């Protein structure tokens, strides 16, 4: 069946726990601060105004902007490990969250959803084989998730021509 990278990350973080180090700083708070430092140093992406509350992204308390996600995607695309990154992301035809979406499109993405939230972020190659990063997020809706998934698909199909 489908396996979620988010679920594994969340479960790993839960097993490690969140121990208080000192002055009310938890181990997770310290790790999130270090992650922001590494992202700033390695990718030149400023996450100081973001909020990271868990290791998977499955939290309403994680707060990152579309621009922060996109800046990180663009920076990662320039690394020597980009092919590895793409291999980890879902793509059409794989046994993944995109297995029935984007047929005949060269797309590598991460899906995300909570009640009232749908997101799709990643990369696609357009008809000229040029690489593009994208971030599509819909928040605060209370019905009709398929409508927002179709909207994600329509946006990517429109801009990838």
């Amino acid at each position: 069946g489908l396996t979620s990278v988010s679920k594994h990350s969340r479960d790993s973080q839960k097993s490690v726990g969140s121990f208080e180090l000192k002055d009310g700083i938890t181990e997770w708070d310290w790790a999130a601060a270090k992650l922001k430092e590494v992202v700033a140093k390695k990718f030149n992406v400023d996450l100081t105004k973001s909020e990271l509350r868990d290791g998977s992204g499955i939290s309403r308390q994680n707060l990152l902007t579309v621009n922060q996600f996109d800046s990180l995607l663009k920076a990662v695309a320039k690394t020597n490990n980009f092919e590895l990154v793409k291999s980890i992301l879902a793509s059409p035809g794989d046994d993944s969250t995109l297995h029935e979406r984007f047929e005949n499109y060269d797309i590598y993405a991460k899906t995300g959803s909570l009640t009232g939230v749908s997101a799709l972020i990643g990369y696609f190659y357009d008809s000229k084989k040029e690489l593009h990063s994208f971030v599509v997020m819909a928040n605060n809706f209370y019905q009709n998730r398929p409508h927002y998934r179709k909207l994600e698909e329509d946006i990517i199909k429109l801009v990838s021509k």
Side-chain angles (χ1 to χ4, degrees):
L2 299 178
T3 303
S4 170
V5 173
S6 297
K7 180 185 180 314
H8 290 301
S9 179
R10 181 189 69 232
D11 292 346
S12 297
Q13 192 231 331
K14 281 183 179 177
S15 69
V16 170
S18 187
F19 303 102
E20 189 170 319
L21 298 175
K22 65 179 181 176
D23 299 328
I25 302 294
T26 65
E27 185 176 274
W28 177 246
D29 291 334
W30 176 85
K34 288 296 179 189
L35 177 62
K36 289 179 183 183
E37 286 178 26
V38 168
V39 168
K41 184 176 182 179
K42 184 161 179 78
F43 299 108
N44 198 29
V45 176
D46 182 7
L47 297 180
T48 55
K49 294 183 179 178
S50 66
E51 192 65 42
L52 303 175
R53 299 309 314 158
D54 74 10
S56 69
I58 304 177
S59 171
R60 294 191 184 283
Q61 297 172 335
N62 286 328
L63 303 172
L64 285 102
T65 68
V66 170
N67 288 339
Q68 288 170 322
F69 273 119
D70 192 53
S71 294
L72 186 56
L73 289 169
K74 286 177 179 169
V76 169
K78 295 176 185 174
T79 67
N80 293 335
N81 294 326
F82 183 58
E83 291 302 314
L84 174 63
V85 171
K86 284 190 338 187
S87 74
I88 295 169
L89 296 171
S91 61
D94 288 349
D95 184 18
S96 70
T97 54
L98 295 183
H99 74 281
E100 294 181 355
R101 300 172 73 183
F102 302 103
E103 258 184 67
N104 303 314
Y105 285 83
D106 195 2
I107 181 172
Y108 304 86
K110 175 70 180 99
T111 61
S113 62
L114 294 168
T115 301
V117 177
S118 184
L120 182 68
I121 72 168
Y123 305 94
F124 68 85
Y125 290 91
D126 65 17
S127 60
K128 298 175 186 167
K129 303 296 181 200
E130 292 179 23
L131 180 68
H132 300 272
S133 60
F134 68 89
V135 181
V136 181
M137 293 182 181
N139 290 308
N140 298 319
F141 62 86
Y142 296 98
Q143 296 177 4
N144 204 356
R145 179 181 313 260
H147 170 76
Y148 291 94
R149 287 186 59 186
K150 180 167 181 344
L151 180 62
E152 293 167 354
E153 292 169 17
D154 289 347
I155 290 169
I156 299 305
K157 289 175 181 178
L158 178 68
V159 297
S160 65
K161 290 183 177 184

